[in-house]
Amino acid sequence: QKEVEQDPGPLSVPEGAIVSLNCTYSNSAFQYFMWYRQYSRKGPELLMYTYSSGNKEDGRFTAQVDKSSKYISLFIRDSQPSDSATYLCAMSAGGGNKLTFGTGTQLKVEL
Amino acid sequence: DADVTQTPRNRITKTGKRIMLECSQTKGHDRMYWYRQDPGLGLRLIYYSFDVKDINKGEISDGYSVSRQAQAKFSLSLESAIPNQTALYFCATSAPTSPSTDTQYFGPGTRLTVL
């Protein structure tokens, strides 16, 4: 079993929809949680960063961490075609430990 | 200008050839990483370096070597390329202080094909 599980999709939604992307993990030592967005033929770019449990909001994006369930989510409100990309979750135990990535969920927002 | 640059962006080579992928950064970060990305497998760490004199193996280092020539430069070499090293390769950097030691910033990638 992988340390981090992420549904690969593809996930197709209409413009304006609320999108929910999720990852589960097995390592209870993870404390830092990140979401990266990767456009086709580009490098991953950091979208959201969260420490420990709770919610963090940035514009149309909300990151949610539930450490008791070992479950993290990224919500995108009012989705736009420009949000079409692959979304990677990543997490670490902190202190310079390596990042463990999910395999990514491909999202397509259609007009 | 890009903070993390990689050269070449695309490369086609033949089995048995030696190839070097280069990474440069202007972010002033001490830590640099090399990953490969394969469909269905995600990003896997090949090597990482926390400073010029520090080199560490990642989870899939066999068949690869690295050189940290300076704080800003980190090269990945395939001494004798094989077809299953065909992948997308990314360099990344991170700083020890902000916003966490583990937030990494990626280059645009090198698409390598080994025939």
Side-chain angles (χ1 to χ4, degrees):
Chain A
Q1 185 183 3
K2 293 179 181 178
E3 266 191 308
V4 179
E5 299 278 0
Q6 186 175 10
D7 187 330
L11 178 62
S12 184
V13 301
E15 184 180 8
I18 296 174
V19 176
S20 173
L21 304 168
N22 311 293
C23 288
T24 59
Y25 63 94
S26 57
N27 188 344
S28 58
F30 288 150
Q31 298 186 75
Y32 296 88
F33 304 92
M34 283 142 273
W35 286 95
Y36 285 82
R37 178 175 61 195
Q38 185 177 17
Y39 291 112
S40 181
R41 299 188 177 275
K42 301 286 186 183
E45 58 177 326
L46 182 66
L47 195 59
M48 298 284 285
Y49 154 78
T50 310
Y51 169 68
S52 194
S53 286
N55 292 358
K56 184 173 184 179
E57 187 173 321
D58 184 0
R60 296 184 295 111
F61 299 90
T62 300
Q64 195 171 79
V65 174
D66 182 349
K67 291 185 70 179
S68 62
S69 301
K70 298 188 178 67
Y71 188 88
I72 70 170
S73 300
L74 177 70
F75 298 97
I76 307 174
R77 292 184 298 280
D78 187 25
S79 57
Q80 302 295 310
S82 59
D83 295 327
S84 297
T86 296
Y87 290 80
L88 302 160
C89 63
M91 47 198 80
S92 81
N97 285 299
K98 69 179 184 69
L99 284 181
T100 301
F101 286 86
T103 53
T105 299
Q106 185 181 354
L107 171 67
K108 185 174 183 180
V109 181
E110 298 179 332
L111 291 168
Chain B
D1 289 339
D3 292 328
V4 185
T5 58
Q6 292 183 236
T7 56
R9 293 295 313 279
N10 290 281
R11 180 72 182 266
I12 299 173
T13 191
K14 294 182 178 180
T15 297
K17 293 291 187 181
R18 184 180 187 275
I19 185 168
M20 179 182 287
L21 308 183
E22 298 186 337
C23 177
S24 295
Q25 54 109 349
T26 58
K27 297 185 77 68
H29 289 170
D30 290 325
R31 302 179 178 193
M32 299 187 74
Y33 310 80
W34 275 105
Y35 290 89
R36 65 177 282 176
Q37 187 176 40
D38 300 274
L41 296 177
L43 284 160
R44 293 182 292 167
L45 184 63
I46 306 172
Y47 270 96
Y48 62 102
S49 169
F50 281 1
D51 64 42
V52 174
K53 296 180 181 179
D54 176 74
I55 301 290
N56 304 282
K57 292 182 177 180
E59 58 186 295
I60 53 161
S61 59
D62 287 348
Y64 302 95
S65 63
V66 291
S67 174
R68 185 80 184 266
Q69 300 96 324
Q71 187 211 32
K73 296 184 181 295
F74 193 34
S75 300
L76 176 72
S77 293
L78 287 68
E79 296 301 325
S80 180
I82 57 176
N84 78 357
Q85 291 177 313
T86 293
L88 195 52
Y89 288 84
F90 288 104
C91 174
T93 72
S94 71
T97 55
S98 177
S100 84
T101 59
D102 308 306
T103 306
Q104 296 180 15
Y105 299 87
F106 286 80
T110 293
R111 185 169 295 278
L112 176 66
T113 302
V114 183
L115 301 176

